[in-house]
Amino acid sequence: MTLVTPLHAQGSKEPGKDRPLNLVALGDSLTAGYGLPAAAAFPLQLEAALKARGHAVTVANAGVSGDTATGGLDRVDWSVPDGTDGVILELGANDMLRGTDPAVTEKALDAIVARLKARGIPVLLAGMRAAPNLGTDYGKRFDAIYPRLAERYGLILYPFFLDGVAGDRSLTLPDGLHPTKDGVATIVAGILPRVEEFLTRLRKGP
């Protein structure tokens, strides 16, 4: 999947009431829109839903198919340009599918959040859950990553990015993993209240 480079105007980051807020969706194929037209990917569907509800906002697609949390850390500085008001962080699914030690995943996600925080860029954290076939112990360790990070940094958390889609073959591509256009719409509908809460927080400023 080709990375769409976010283009944002430079300038003041004071979150005025009228100017558009610039969000970046930093993630893997679930963000990038694997197997879908660009307009059907999560960032653009989310942007359209927010605009329909009266929000002045852009959502740039910084999703890279196959990316792990460590891969996201490697590119966070150039994937999230100056002028970004907030980041929706969706990473960890590929770590889980590869059976990566959850401690490695958590360390990378923690570093991403810390690096963005140092730049004054708030994060909305989109969580992931481990597949049952990975076992109870792995599942407990992996699933605990996201609420722990949210508590540590005071982040708004959407607990499970694929809520309402995972396990529903009518909402996934033939691989059973990636959402269809309707599947993405389901994700957007689920996460929308948390994103609106995030926008309210951004408008209020530090």
Side-chain angles (χ1 to χ4, degrees):
M1 174 60 65
T2 301
L3 175 65
V4 178
T5 303
L7 299 173
H8 299 320
Q10 302 297 313
S12 171
K13 286 192 63 182
E14 285 298 318
K17 293 183 179 180
D18 298 324
R19 77 166 182 84
L21 291 174
N22 298 316
L23 304 184
V24 170
L26 179 67
D28 48 38
S29 57
L30 299 177
T31 289
Y34 174 85
L36 301 175
F42 169 73
L44 285 183
Q45 285 208 47
L46 176 62
E47 180 180 309
L50 289 168
K51 286 181 174 177
R53 293 177 63 83
H55 298 285
V57 62
T58 64
V59 185
N61 190 341
V64 173
S65 293
D67 223 357
T68 61
T70 300
L73 175 60
D74 289 342
R75 66 183 176 88
V76 63
D77 291 331
W78 58 265
S79 292
V80 181
D82 292 339
T84 298
D85 294 296
V87 167
I88 299 172
L89 178 58
E90 177 277 306
L91 284 168
N94 287 310
D95 300 64
M96 178 269 294
L97 291 173
R98 297 176 186 184
T100 300
D101 184 343
V104 173
T105 303
E106 182 170 0
K107 182 179 179 181
L109 290 173
D110 186 292
I112 291 172
V113 175
R115 193 170 293 181
L116 291 170
K117 181 179 180 181
R119 293 174 60 192
I121 302 174
V123 172
L124 186 160
L125 185 61
M128 186 53 56
R129 292 178 183 165
N133 65 305
L134 292 168
T136 302
D137 179 66
Y138 185 93
K140 287 181 178 179
R141 293 176 61 215
F142 183 87
D143 293 356
I145 291 172
Y146 299 92
R148 188 159 52 232
L149 282 175
E151 182 176 2
R152 184 179 302 154
Y153 287 100
L155 308 179
I156 293 174
L157 172 67
Y158 185 61
F160 184 33
F161 189 71
L162 291 175
D163 190 25
V165 174
D168 188 338
R169 297 305 294 260
S170 71
L171 294 176
T172 57
L173 297 177
D175 62 15
L177 298 173
H178 295 93
T180 61
K181 179 180 178 180
D182 288 342
V184 173
T186 298
I187 293 170
V188 168
I191 201 173
L192 195 59
R194 299 296 173 89
V195 178
E196 289 189 302
E197 180 185 351
F198 188 49
L199 294 181
T200 298
R201 183 179 291 190
L202 295 180
R203 293 286 184 195
K204 289 180 179 179

